[in-house]
Amino acid sequence: MNLGSHLTQRLLSLPPPLTRDLVVEHDLRVPMRDGTVLLADRWWPRSGGDGLPTLLLRIPYGRAGMAAGPMVRPFAERGFQVMIQSTRGTFGSGGVFDPMRREREDGLDTVDWVIAQPWFGEAMVLYGMSYLGYAQWAVADQLPPQVKAMIPAVSESALTLEFLRADGFSLETPFGWGVMVAGQERRWAVPRQLLGARRVRRAMSELPLSEADFAALGHRSDYIQDVLAHDAGTPRWADLDHRRRVADIAVPVSSVGGWYDIFLPGQLRDHQALVAAGRQARLTVGPWSHTSRGVGVTAAGEALGFGLALARGEQPPERAPVRLFVMGEDTWRDFPSWPPPGRTPRRFHLHPDGLLSTDTAGASEPDRYRYDPADPTPAVGGVRLALGVRGGRVDNSGLEARPDVLTYTTAVLDTDVEVIGEVSAEIWFRSELPHADVFVRLCDVDTKGRSTNVCDGLVGLTGAERTSCATVRLWPTAYRFRRGHRIRVQVSSGAFPRYNRNPGTGEPRATATTLRAGNQEVFHDPEHPSAILLPVCPTTPKNDLPDL
């Protein structure tokens, strides 16, 4: 077993249970400040739960089934008593579920209620992934001293705002999630969702998009209509953005993320804000997408190792502030910060004839391709969250064979190239239409010629008929390109349905009904030096974790 797999096994294991004999009290009634009552279940060891540290989860997806098993039981068996609460308007809790809008007030009221209960001891830990992590960020700057730690995983303080950018609307995730929560309390909800996945994918091709929720659900979804009609910067979302609170958080935070997770950029931003404010924070990022098993097990390990220790007044096991899985090398490594120090952005320039090189390009004609939103460049692997869709690293051969995808590839590497940090691209671009997107993807080409994706990103342009430099922020990464491999960059104009297809007309995304194809140009000459910027380590560091 190599060191990478050995460390992965270690990180994905939990300590043995102290007991299997648990008691569950269902439907505790928790009053909110406006009189609404939310329901919760309390789990504890039959041998005695009163006074144990309390792990609090606030969830919109129900307290039974999958939530009550792997999400709750491991903690009640290993030293916590656990309270899991259905958020407002879900699974018996009163009020109306308006996603993310009541989590601050309801969360603070719930924390106060738990602390006042006779079974509460002296300490609480907040825990959960995705929406459950957002519920933590919503209250984190105003927590009482009894709360000793937060464990948010694959989550961030401005949960959906990255999806709703005016210059790059991510259609697949908010639309699919909106459809899921709209039908989650129906009878046979999970089989219905599985059987309806194809219908949801078809619905995202509807024009106008304002009719897509009806095509998928048979009725309107207020949430879906909101995300279609309101960009991230509009007042509609102001109260849901908790980024401004992060620097005021006094509670120690251990966050867990994935290189192919939908929330990774925001999660890293939150971690940096905590560190800049002098807060106790640590970060673990693995080779995972949003729903990977490794996320849940690693987050549980942090709750039990980091959170439970703090709740007991002990110091957690010592480790570096940042632990990253370096893909390509397939090894866990520790670092003092994010981004790691000593990485200098290095420009890999686009050249004619599909070459990628650290040398600057000479005089050349631009490369050209035609983008047709009626046959949009598809999303393949990568940062995905949809039923029946594979995310993460996949073979890109079929995608790269399309005429609407340009590729630029280095010569065979004569030494390893390690890239850890923020990745961006500067693409000099022109379209025959005033509105167009630029999608850039970084890939690893192995010794057999197989191209697999590392990270990517998209930006939408207005005034695209004028030659300009499109700055594209790709997902951050930690990746080692091995000697004998090649580095490849793709340039195209979409990744549908992860990102909404650009109709080329400038019409609002909710009401657009016309699709216009356009010819696109990518420049690479001394006046237009298109390049990808990779944070390259100047040396090849040894693994800095102890031998196991």
Side-chain angles (χ1 to χ4, degrees):
M1 179 183 296
N2 64 34
L3 182 58
S5 60
H6 194 167
L7 286 170
T8 300
Q9 184 181 56
R10 188 187 73 175
L11 287 176
L12 299 186
S13 61
L14 299 179
L18 303 174
T19 179
R20 299 283 192 185
D21 191 7
L22 304 179
V23 178
V24 184
E25 183 178 5
H26 295 284
D27 296 338
L28 294 171
R29 297 175 60 82
V30 185
M32 301 294 104
R33 64 189 65 181
D34 64 350
T36 301
V37 174
L38 308 188
L39 299 186
D41 298 342
R42 177 185 168 226
W43 293 60
W44 71 92
R46 189 177 299 275
S47 57
D50 290 7
L52 289 177
T54 300
L55 191 74
L56 176 63
L57 302 85
R58 303 192 60 250
I59 183 170
Y61 309 123
R63 290 163 285 131
M66 292 181 65
M71 192 179 295
V72 175
R73 176 174 289 276
F75 304 111
E77 294 176 342
R78 290 170 172 83
F80 281 108
Q81 55 178 324
V82 184
M83 188 169 123
I84 179 169
Q85 179 190 60
S86 290
T87 56
R88 179 179 292 250
T90 67
F91 294 90
S93 287
V96 176
F97 181 51
D98 192 352
M100 293 165 283
R101 294 194 181 278
R102 292 288 308 195
E103 304 315 335
R104 181 167 176 80
E105 296 84 355
D106 290 353
L108 292 171
D109 290 350
T110 299
V111 168
D112 289 343
W113 182 88
V114 171
I115 290 172
Q117 300 311 299
W119 42 262
F120 181 76
E122 299 178 350
M124 180 187 301
V125 173
L126 308 186
Y127 174 80
M129 294 169 280
S130 194
Y131 194 104
L132 288 71
Y134 173 81
Q136 299 172 58
W137 290 115
V139 301
D141 66 326
Q142 200 174 319
L143 292 170
Q146 290 89 342
V147 179
K148 305 301 182 183
M150 287 173 40
I151 317 292
V154 289
S155 188
E156 58 133 319
S157 60
L159 198 64
T160 61
L161 298 190
E162 169 69 26
F163 306 144
L164 310 184
R165 289 168 28 214
D167 64 352
F169 174 58
S170 298
L171 173 63
E172 183 175 62
T173 294
F175 185 86
W177 186 82
V179 170
M180 187 271 289
V181 296
Q184 66 176 348
E185 296 193 50
R186 295 178 64 188
R187 184 177 175 85
W188 308 113
V190 172
R192 286 177 184 271
Q193 291 166 11
L194 294 172
L195 292 172
R198 185 174 299 178
R199 183 173 66 251
V200 171
R201 289 195 291 271
R202 287 198 304 266
M204 287 186 284
S205 297
E206 289 281 322
L207 289 177
L209 273 176
S210 57
E211 303 295 325
D213 57 345
F214 192 88
L217 288 166
H219 59 83
R220 290 282 178 265
S221 160
D222 291 342
Y223 171 77
I224 291 175
Q225 292 299 317
D226 271 353
V227 300
L228 292 176
H230 302 286
D231 290 333
T234 62
R236 178 63 177 159
W237 306 111
D239 291 341
L240 281 63
D241 185 355
H242 299 294
R243 286 176 289 189
R244 66 189 184 278
R245 309 186 193 279
V246 174
D248 295 327
I249 294 171
V251 175
V253 178
S254 180
S255 55
V256 176
W259 293 125
Y260 296 98
D261 178 47
I262 54 178
F263 297 123
L264 178 65
Q267 184 170 23
L268 296 176
R269 179 204 64 231
D270 289 338
H271 175 78
Q272 289 176 286
L274 289 170
V275 172
R279 310 306 181 193
Q280 183 179 352
R282 69 186 197 182
L283 170 73
T284 306
V285 186
W288 306 312
S289 59
H290 191 69
T291 57
S292 297
R293 177 181 177 272
V295 173
V297 181
T298 303
E302 287 300 292
L304 292 167
F306 182 81
L308 187 56
L310 291 170
R312 290 171 170 169
E314 305 165 356
Q315 284 301 310
E318 187 173 347
R319 54 155 269 195
V322 175
R323 175 164 289 175
L324 308 177
F325 189 89
V326 181
M327 299 178 292
E329 184 182 31
D330 294 343
T331 300
W332 288 98
R333 296 236 304 275
D334 279 358
F335 298 90
S337 65
W338 175 266
R343 269 73 179 170
T344 303
R346 189 174 184 184
R347 299 177 68 89
F348 286 72
H349 293 273
L350 277 57
H351 287 247
D353 300 319
L355 176 65
L356 185 70
S357 171
T358 54
D359 297 331
T360 56
S364 61
E365 289 295 309
D367 291 323
R368 298 176 174 87
Y369 64 95
R370 184 171 180 80
Y371 175 74
D372 184 357
D375 178 25
T377 316
V380 176
V383 180
R384 309 290 297 277
L385 179 61
L387 286 173
V389 171
R390 182 183 174 189
R393 295 182 63 192
V394 300
D395 187 345
N396 279 236
S397 301
L399 178 65
E400 293 172 354
R402 288 179 59 101
D404 55 1
V405 178
L406 303 178
T407 61
Y408 302 87
T409 311
T410 66
V412 174
L413 301 175
D414 58 11
T415 186
D416 288 2
V417 176
E418 183 177 278
V419 175
I420 304 179
E422 306 288 340
V423 179
S424 63
E426 297 172 357
I427 305 298
W428 285 89
F429 180 87
R430 182 172 64 200
S431 173
E432 66 178 350
L433 302 175
H435 301 275
D437 292 343
V438 178
F439 179 79
V440 178
R441 168 168 276 188
L442 176 66
C443 294
D444 179 10
V445 182
D446 66 17
T447 56
K448 297 181 179 179
R450 183 174 183 265
S451 175
T452 57
N453 50 293
V454 175
C455 60
D456 49 45
L458 176 144
V459 68
L461 304 177
T462 57
E465 76 278 15
R466 301 185 298 271
T467 302
S468 64
C469 182
T471 300
V472 184
R473 185 192 64 172
L474 283 70
W475 247 235
T477 195
Y479 198 93
R480 177 169 290 195
F481 295 87
R482 289 292 198 177
R483 181 170 61 91
H485 288 215
R486 292 175 290 159
I487 300 171
R488 176 169 291 170
V489 170
Q490 299 175 12
V491 180
S492 63
S493 286
F496 181 79
R498 174 186 168 190
Y499 292 101
N500 189 37
R501 53 188 171 173
N502 194 320
T505 62
E507 295 175 272
R509 60 178 176 247
T511 56
T513 57
T514 303
L515 301 177
R516 292 181 62 189
N519 294 315
Q520 326 284 51
E521 294 180 308
V522 173
F523 295 80
H524 35 59
D525 57 63
E527 290 74 35
H528 308 100
S530 293
I532 190 167
L533 284 71
L534 302 181
V536 174
C537 180
T539 60
T540 301
K542 294 180 180 179
N543 190 302
D544 52 12
L545 288 176
D547 292 335
L548 299 178

